[in-house]
Amino acid sequence: QVQLVESGGGLVQPGGSLRLSCAGSRMTFSIYDMEWYRQAPGKQRDLVATITSGDSTNYADSVKGRFNISRDNAKKLVYLQMNSLKPEDTAVYYCHAKFRTHTYWGQGTQVTVTS
């Protein structure tokens, strides 16, 4: 069974940075498109960033220029570097893997941006 485990969340002040990691296991990691989603309390889960198996990236408008997604296929890791964090970035961040009809979710990691 494919497993995705996120880490790196925490409490940070506005303007600060965090780097999230997502470790994949029991999967051919390189063939998957990898994504980060986030869900704030009482809101829907939204797509934040995507990196395809071919290393193309895409970002939500709200994070463009502040967040960067990358991957290390050898280590089966995907990262989300988050800079210039704002209170509205507060959410649970989820890692998502997809390949054709196969999709998998991690358990999420909490990011809280507050002064």
Side-chain angles (χ1 to χ4, degrees), residues 49-82:
T50 300
I51 185 164
T52 69
S53 57
D55 284 339
S56 296
T57 59
N58 196 31
Y59 298 90
D61 287 343
S62 59
V63 307
K64 279 181 183 176
R66 300 188 298 122
F67 289 12
N68 184 71
I69 188 170
S70 60
R71 66 191 297 162
D72 184 333
N73 289 334
K75 296 181 179 179
K76 296 187 178 181
L77 288 167
V78 61
Y79 304 101
L80 186 68
Q81 177 68 42
M82 305 186 295

Side-chain angles (χ1 to χ4, degrees), residues 29-106:
F29 187 83
S30 62
I31 68 174
Y32 284 80
D33 294 342
M34 300 300 298
E35 299 174 321
W36 287 96
Y37 281 75
R38 67 186 181 187
Q39 187 168 21
K43 295 190 176 182
Q44 67 182 21
R45 190 173 296 188
D46 292 327
L47 179 61
V48 174
T50 300
I51 185 164
T52 69
S53 57
D55 284 339
S56 296
T57 59
N58 196 31
Y59 298 90
D61 287 343
S62 59
V63 307
K64 279 181 183 176
R66 300 188 298 122
F67 289 12
N68 184 71
I69 188 170
S70 60
R71 66 191 297 162
D72 184 333
N73 289 334
K75 296 181 179 179
K76 296 187 178 181
L77 288 167
V78 61
Y79 304 101
L80 186 68
Q81 177 68 42
M82 305 186 295
N83 301 321
S84 302
L85 283 162
K86 305 175 181 179
E88 51 264 43
D89 294 318
T90 295
V92 178
Y93 284 71
Y94 296 92
C95 180
H96 180 243
K98 64 178 184 180
F99 174 70
R100 296 181 181 174
T101 60
H102 303 280
T103 69
Y104 304 96
W105 292 93

